[in-house]
Amino acid sequence: MAATLIARAIRARPEAVIGLATGSTPTRCYGELVRLHREEGLSFAGVRTFNLDEYLGLPGDHGQGYRRFMQEQLFERIDIRPWNTHVLDGMARDTGAECAAFEHRIAAVGGVDLWLLGIGANGHIAFNEPGSAADSRTRVVDLSAETIAANSDGRFFKDPAEVPRQALTAGIATIRAARRIVLLATGAGKRAALRTAVEGPSTESCPASLLQGHPDCLFLADREAWGA
Ligand code: F6R
């Protein structure tokens, strides 16, 4: 369904600006976008993309770097123009300038039409950990112990010691500025965070709950994540 919504946005506006996430959750969506490209003529030739985040200190071609993840999962398998894909540079010497340039590029293309998100078991969106301010913008953040553990469970890093302690991330306000938000949640491990985000108060202790009140925000969850 997420891929269908993205495809619809691109067919409605071939120069669509799409925000993307990494992690386990969106991989099937990217597989379906590749299929739509190969079998149903969906073209990404005019599409611009912005990714949520990147580990600080990892070169883009590092095995766990998010630039490489996107190249392998999606970009190299579709007809997107490389210069239209924007992933924060984890090796930037001047991280402040890198974050400001990211915000500037989003503004320069008129904002994000649809931003695809995942959700952390602690309620984080992008690398906005609990406590992130609702008005936060792209910046350097410290990763929580929970996120370091989640990302070294063997899916990505093998050992917590290998996981960078900091990352560059789009802020809550950066994400909220997207005209449409589609958040994906799969598996029972996301159930508590999802419930809190949807049914709890809008609070910085659950960053995904700060999406409440957005005019066009859709949460797509499987049965395990929703608990129904
Ligand atoms: C990834 C990102 C993260 C993930 C979240 C869930 O770009 O910003 O917020 O969406 O950690 O990760 P998975 O999908 O691996 O469970």
Side-chain angles (χ1 to χ4, degrees):
M1 186 180 289
T4 302
L5 294 173
I6 292 171
R8 201 178 287 165
I10 295 170
R11 289 200 166 107
R13 188 164 100 90
E15 309 76 32
V17 180
I18 306 292
L20 300 171
T22 57
S24 302
T25 314
T27 54
R28 280 177 57 209
C29 172
Y30 296 151
E32 173 63 5
L33 287 174
V34 171
R35 193 197 66 77
L36 288 169
H37 168 65
R38 290 183 180 161
E39 297 177 14
E40 299 187 25
L42 180 67
S43 175
F44 294 78
V47 171
R48 284 74 59 85
T49 65
F50 289 86
N51 262 82
L52 286 171
D53 41 20
E54 179 60 286
Y55 291 109
L56 190 62
L58 285 196
D61 60 354
H62 184 281
Q64 298 308 330
Y66 287 168
R67 160 59 73 180
R68 176 143 158 203
F69 176 98
M70 290 309 306
Q71 293 296 128
E72 292 176 352
Q73 296 286 328
L74 187 64
F75 298 155
E76 288 171 0
R77 303 165 72 198
I78 56 176
D79 62 341
I80 198 162
R81 307 288 187 247
W83 53 89
N84 285 337
T85 67
H86 305 280
V87 183
L88 285 153
D89 178 5
M91 295 300 281
R93 285 174 131 202
D94 184 342
T95 52
E98 176 68 9
C99 294
F102 185 79
E103 293 275 349
H104 181 76
R105 282 189 213 112
I106 292 176
V109 296
V112 173
D113 293 308
L114 184 158
W115 211 320
L116 183 71
L117 305 180
I119 181 172
N122 64 357
H124 74 214
I125 50 174
F127 275 135
N128 295 284
E129 302 283 25
S132 296
D135 63 356
S136 54
R137 290 275 169 183
T138 305
R139 67 204 187 288
V140 174
V141 292
D142 294 333
L143 300 187
S144 70
E146 204 173 356
T147 296
I148 290 168
N151 289 354
S152 56
D153 63 0
R155 287 175 306 151
F156 301 115
F157 294 93
K158 304 268 176 293
D159 189 298
E162 296 171 11
V163 185
R165 267 37 192 171
Q166 290 187 306
L168 305 168
T169 185
I172 302 282
T174 318
I175 296 166
R176 275 192 61 109
R179 286 180 275 283
R180 179 170 228 200
I181 294 170
V182 176
L183 181 146
L184 299 181
T186 56
K190 304 295 173 64
R191 192 179 299 170
L194 192 62
R195 286 276 173 181
T196 307
V198 175
E199 296 179 343
S202 182
T203 155
E204 291 175 358
S205 62
C206 177
S209 72
L210 298 172
L211 299 173
Q212 291 177 19
H214 186 281
D216 188 357
C217 178
L218 180 67
F219 280 37
L220 296 175
D222 66 4
R223 283 180 193 282
E224 289 72 26
W226 188 243

